[in-house]
Amino acid sequence: MLLPVSRDRRTRVGAAVALTVLLAGCSTPPGPDPATPAPRLPPDAIAYDDLLSTDREFPFAADCSQITPEVVAAVEGRGAVDLPGVGSPPGCSIQVGSDTLDELWILPEPPPNPSEPRYFPLAWNARLEGTTYHRRLLIDERYYAVETIDFLGGLPGCYLRVDTGSPVALLFRGVLPEAHGLSYGELNPAVTAYVTDREGTDRFMAENCPVVERMAVPLLAAIDPGGGSLGAP
């Protein structure tokens, strides 16, 4: 079954909307067999609820050991520091310090409970709680990915979840400077009587997610060389 793609005025979503209409109905998702290095994914894969999948080891070490100074420079960062694991999975923070992006967090997302064998299909099919924005896309033509908005600490942030071909998904979370986040007004529907500011949310995601997408490409190359959603086990 196909999932409608969320509304976004930018043309970067237009292909997803067109494919959703074109491929209405349930059918086998397109894509190549798993391989090493991982193969490219067909663009129309984003229109299908089901995914071709593999079962390989999660590539992220859940710290900054895979992020070299050269990688930090490639994403225009100022440094990388380990995130503590108290209350959440450990991970890595890329320090940016610009007017529009303070940090980029990299975190593992394991399945939420034993009844869910994989995390990423929950995100792909908008089965995560509090989803008010949802867009499917491909990263570097090799990874299935989903963008959502979240409000960690009360501020909006772009969440880019990536399928690494393992039960654990990889999360890239853009952490905004407070002044920049507040400039969008109150987008959190939990605060505004669960009424979503759709226009404001779409604008926020269109303006803040592209930088997360761009940074994710060299970071994935460092974390998962030659990998992808259909990387061979």
Side-chain angles (χ1 to χ4, degrees), residues 23-186:
L23 300 173
C26 296
S27 57
T28 302
D33 293 331
T36 302
R40 292 183 178 182
L41 302 170
D44 55 341
I46 63 174
Y48 292 78
D49 287 352
D50 292 332
L51 296 169
L52 295 181
S53 62
T54 184
D55 190 11
R56 63 191 187 101
E57 184 177 353
F58 184 57
F60 181 45
D63 57 29
C64 293
S65 60
Q66 296 161 292
I67 310 301
T68 65
E70 291 76 16
V71 175
V72 172
V75 298
E76 300 182 356
R78 299 181 179 181
V81 297
D82 290 345
L83 290 170
V86 178
S88 64
C92 181
S93 170
I94 308 298
Q95 308 292 295
V96 179
S98 72
D99 291 340
T100 57
L101 184 65
D102 193 19
E103 307 173 50
L104 182 75
W105 290 1
I106 313 171
L107 296 165
E109 290 193 310
N113 57 65
S115 67
E116 299 287 354
R118 303 173 74 91
Y119 186 95
F120 186 77
L122 302 176
W124 187 255
N125 289 301
R127 291 173 55 198
L128 300 173
E129 291 186 9
T131 299
T132 59
Y133 178 101
H134 179 268
R135 187 174 84 93
R136 296 171 175 174
L137 66 159
L138 302 179
I139 295 295
D140 199 27
E141 300 182 313
R142 295 179 297 120
Y143 293 91
Y144 303 117
V146 172
E147 284 175 344
T148 60
I149 188 171
D150 211 327
F151 300 94
L152 184 66
L155 290 176
C158 179
Y159 276 45
L160 177 67
R161 290 180 168 91
V162 176
D163 175 35
T164 62
S166 66
V168 181
L170 190 61
L171 170 65
F172 296 91
R173 202 274 182 182
V175 181
L176 274 60
E178 183 175 5
H180 182 60
L182 292 176
S183 70
Y184 286 91
E186 186 52 77

Side-chain angles (χ1 to χ4, degrees), residues 166-211:
S166 66
V168 181
L170 190 61
L171 170 65
F172 296 91
R173 202 274 182 182
V175 181
L176 274 60
E178 183 175 5
H180 182 60
L182 292 176
S183 70
Y184 286 91
E186 186 52 77
L187 301 180
N188 190 344
V191 177
T192 56
Y194 296 95
V195 176
T196 299
D197 177 357
R198 177 58 59 192
E199 182 177 354
T201 298
D202 287 349
R203 180 170 64 89
F204 173 85
M205 300 301 284
E207 292 175 355
N208 292 281
C209 283
V211 64

